[in-house]
Amino acid sequence: MKSRTLSQIKDKIDKGEATVLTAEEVSRLVKEGNKPGFDDVDVVTTGTCGIMSGTAAVLHIKVGEPGSFKKASKILLNGVPGFPGPCPNEWLGTVDLIVYGTSHSIYDDDYGGGFLFQDIIKGNEIKVKMESTNGETIETITTIDDMGTAQMVGTRLAFKNYTAFVNPSEESVASIFNAVNMEGPYKGLSFSGCGELNPLQNDPHMRNIKEGVRVLLCGSVGIVLGQGTRSSQEKPNLMISADMRQMDPLYVGGYKTADGPEVFNSVAAAIPILNEDILKDTLITNKEIKLPVADIRGRHQVLGFTDYASVWEDITERPVYYPEGCQKCELCLVCERCPTGAFKSNFDEEICFGCGMCNYSCPHGAFQMKRGKIRLNIDEKLVELPIVCRQSDIIRARKLAEELKKRVINGSFYLSE
C-alpha cells in the first residue's frame, strides 16, 4: 500500500506543489470516470452545514462595576435565558454563563439561541437583564468586543449520516425536523446532511478527524474535543469548540422549526491523504450513501431507504424570487414560515438557507424552486414523496469546504496530527 507522512504533505504545501481538492471535486472526478489515484491528491477538504441542536455558548460578560452585586441568579440575553456559572464571580460585577442554542426567548417565540449567537458574532448590541442572588435587577448592553470569553461548544456536530422523515399518520405532527407541522399521510419528506461532502462520510473510520485535530467551526479554527454525545460506530459525530470572535455569521444562525427555534452550524475538516485506504474512503458519491427514511413521530422506526443523490441532484439549491408574483397577502405564509427570516418585505439571498419552504408555502408561485422528490416502497406500495424541507444547506457547506481548501493551500490552516 502506498503511503506518505504528514510532514511530506506539509513540505509540498510549503513548496506550492500540493494538490488539494474538496470532497465534491473528488466525487465529481469519480462520476466522470476519472477516479483520482494516490499520487493525484494530497488533501481533501470536507464540509457540512445544518441544524446542530447540541450547541452552546460559554460567555463571560461584564454586567456592573465590581461590588455592585454579589453573584447572578438569573440572566437574559435578548430575552434568551442563560445559566449563570459554574464560577460564581462573587462581587466582580461579571457573570460566567452558558446559553443553549435551543433556548427560546421569553419575549419572542421565534427568537432563540441560534439567532442570538449570530447577533453576537455580527457584533450587534445585546440586551442583558440580570437578577442577583440578593434581588437586584441590572440591565445593560454588551457586544462581543466587551466579552471576556465567547466560546462555542458543540456537543453533537457533523453526524456522518442522518435520517429523513415522513408522517405516515392522518394528523399533522409538530417536530424540530420540519419547518412547519408535517402533514400526512405521506405528504412530504424533510432531510438533513450534505452527503458526499460530509466530513465523517469521507472519514468514516475517523483516521484523521478525531480528538485534537483542528477543524473550522463556523469559519473559526476550532479543535475536535472527541466524539460527541450519542456518537456510535455506525453514526459517529464530533464534539468541537472554537472562539466565536473568529466566526463568520454566514455559517451560524437560528432556524425556526414547527417545534421552536433551533441553531444551525457549519463544520469543515481537512483529510490528509496519508495512504490508499484513506483515499478510498473519499471516493464516495451521493448515490452510494444511504439515507434512511423514518416516521417523524418515532424517529427510529425506519420505513425505507433512499440515497443522497435522490435529494441533492437534479434540484435547485436556491429559490428564484419573482416580485411581480407576490400578491402582498395580509398573512404572508413565506414571512411566517421562512426558518431564517430571509423573506420579510424583500428576499435576502444571503440569509436564505435553501430549505424550500418559500416555494412550498407561497400559493401564488412568487418563489420558483425545484425541490425534488423521492420514490419509496412502503408496505409493498410505491409512494412518491415531494421534498418539503431541507435542514442542511449545501451552498454554505460547499463554501466552507472551499474556504478551508484556500487556507490549506496558502498555509494559513495548519494540518494537525
Side-chain angles (χ1 to χ4, degrees):
M1 180 193 300
K2 289 185 176 180
S3 64
R4 57 170 75 96
T5 67
L6 189 59
S7 294
Q8 289 174 317
I9 293 176
K10 289 178 179 178
D11 286 342
K12 291 183 73 173
I13 292 171
D14 291 341
K15 294 174 183 177
E17 298 173 353
T19 300
V20 183
L21 300 176
T22 70
E24 268 194 333
E25 290 173 324
V26 172
S27 297
R28 189 177 305 123
L29 290 171
V30 173
K31 293 170 193 173
E32 292 170 353
N34 299 314
K35 184 185 297 185
F38 180 73
D39 297 324
D40 300 323
V41 57
D42 298 291
V43 181
V44 174
T45 62
T46 63
T48 188
C49 173
I51 291 179
M52 300 186 191
S53 299
T55 304
V58 180
L59 309 174
H60 178 71
I61 297 175
K62 181 179 178 181
V63 176
E65 295 304 316
S68 58
F69 64 95
K70 185 176 182 181
K71 55 186 177 182
S73 60
K74 297 180 181 179
I75 192 165
L76 297 173
L77 278 67
N78 286 355
V80 177
F83 298 88
C87 179
N89 290 331
E90 190 171 283
W91 298 116
L92 296 180
T94 62
V95 181
D96 280 4
L97 69 145
I98 297 173
V99 183
Y100 298 156
T102 52
S103 290
H104 302 172
S105 166
I106 66 171
Y107 307 121
D108 181 355
D109 289 341
D110 289 336
Y111 187 88
F115 292 99
L116 172 65
F117 296 166
Q118 188 179 63
D119 281 335
I120 290 173
I121 293 163
K122 283 181 175 179
N124 294 343
E125 291 188 341
I126 307 299
K127 295 179 180 179
V128 180
K129 182 177 181 180
M130 184 220 68
E131 292 182 23
S132 78
T133 53
N134 291 334
E136 300 106 334
T137 297
I138 299 177
E139 297 187 31
T140 188
I141 297 292
T142 191
T143 70
I144 195 168
D145 292 334
D146 302 322
M147 296 179 185
T149 298
Q151 191 80 7
M152 182 177 287
V153 180
T155 63
R156 187 173 60 257
L157 307 183
F159 269 93
K160 175 193 139 191
N161 39 12
Y162 293 81
T163 303
F165 295 99
V166 297
N167 178 13
S169 70
E170 296 285 347
E171 297 181 359
S172 66
V173 176
S175 169
I176 63 170
F177 297 108
N178 200 37
V180 296
N181 286 9
M182 181 168 276
E183 301 296 330
Y186 301 111
K187 295 289 179 62
L189 174 139
S190 68
F191 78 95
S192 299
C194 294
E196 63 195 21
L197 194 49
N198 267 10
L200 293 180
Q201 196 69 63
N202 286 273
D203 188 14
H205 306 292
M206 301 182 77
R207 294 184 175 102
N208 284 286
I209 308 173
K210 54 188 176 182
E211 182 178 344
V213 165
R214 291 153 55 90
V215 295
L216 293 185
L217 175 57
C218 306
S220 176
V221 176
I223 296 291
V224 176
L225 303 178
Q227 293 193 42
T229 60
R230 302 186 205 162
S231 184
S232 66
Q233 185 174 357
E234 173 58 28
K235 298 187 73 171
N237 70 82
L238 303 170
M239 188 176 293
I240 303 171
S241 184
D243 189 343
M244 294 173 71
R245 291 181 182 82
Q246 306 302 318
M247 290 183 178
D248 185 333
L250 174 68
Y251 296 117
V252 58
Y255 186 104
K256 295 188 297 183
T257 76
D259 214 29
E262 286 278 333
V263 55
F264 75 82
N265 290 325
S266 309
V267 177
I271 301 175
I273 305 302
L274 301 174
N275 58 54
E276 290 177 296
D277 282 345
I278 291 173
L279 174 64
K280 184 178 179 181
D281 285 336
T282 69
L283 303 179
I284 193 80
T285 65
N286 281 330
K287 188 68 178 175
E288 299 169 282
I289 304 172
K290 285 186 176 181
L291 178 60
V293 179
D295 186 337
I296 198 167
R297 299 167 301 174
R299 296 176 57 175
H300 304 296
Q301 184 182 352
V302 175
L303 304 172
F305 290 87
T306 183
D307 56 61
Y308 276 97
S310 299
V311 296
W312 277 131
E313 297 178 11
D314 195 27
I315 53 93
T316 49
E317 296 169 350
R318 285 291 187 269
V320 178
Y321 174 52
Y322 294 94
E324 63 275 13
C326 180
Q327 301 300 305
K328 309 295 182 186
C329 300
E330 184 176 347
L331 176 60
C332 174
L333 292 178
V334 178
C335 293
E336 185 179 76
R337 295 175 173 181
C338 177
T340 58
F343 185 76
K344 292 176 183 176
S345 56
N346 294 299
F347 176 52
D348 188 334
E349 189 168 346
E350 185 170 316
I351 299 175
C352 177
F353 199 76
C355 68
M357 192 50 52
C358 54
N359 174 253
Y360 173 76
S361 301
C362 181
H364 306 293
F367 292 85
Q368 294 298 307
M369 187 179 196
K370 191 173 182 181
R371 290 180 280 118
K373 56 190 175 184
I374 71 161
R375 292 178 176 84
L376 199 66
N377 279 305
I378 300 176
D379 296 331
E380 299 183 352
K381 292 181 180 178
L382 186 64
V383 178
E384 188 169 88
L385 297 163
I387 296 168
V388 299
C389 187
R390 303 171 189 158
Q391 293 196 301
S392 287
D393 182 7
I394 197 72
I395 288 183
R396 281 179 171 84
R398 180 184 299 127
K399 187 178 179 69
L400 193 59
E402 290 171 348
E403 170 65 22
L404 180 55
K405 172 183 173 177
K406 291 176 186 176
R407 294 193 198 185
V408 170
I409 290 172
N410 66 29
S412 61
F413 182 90
Y414 182 80
L415 295 175
S416 50
E417 294 286 356

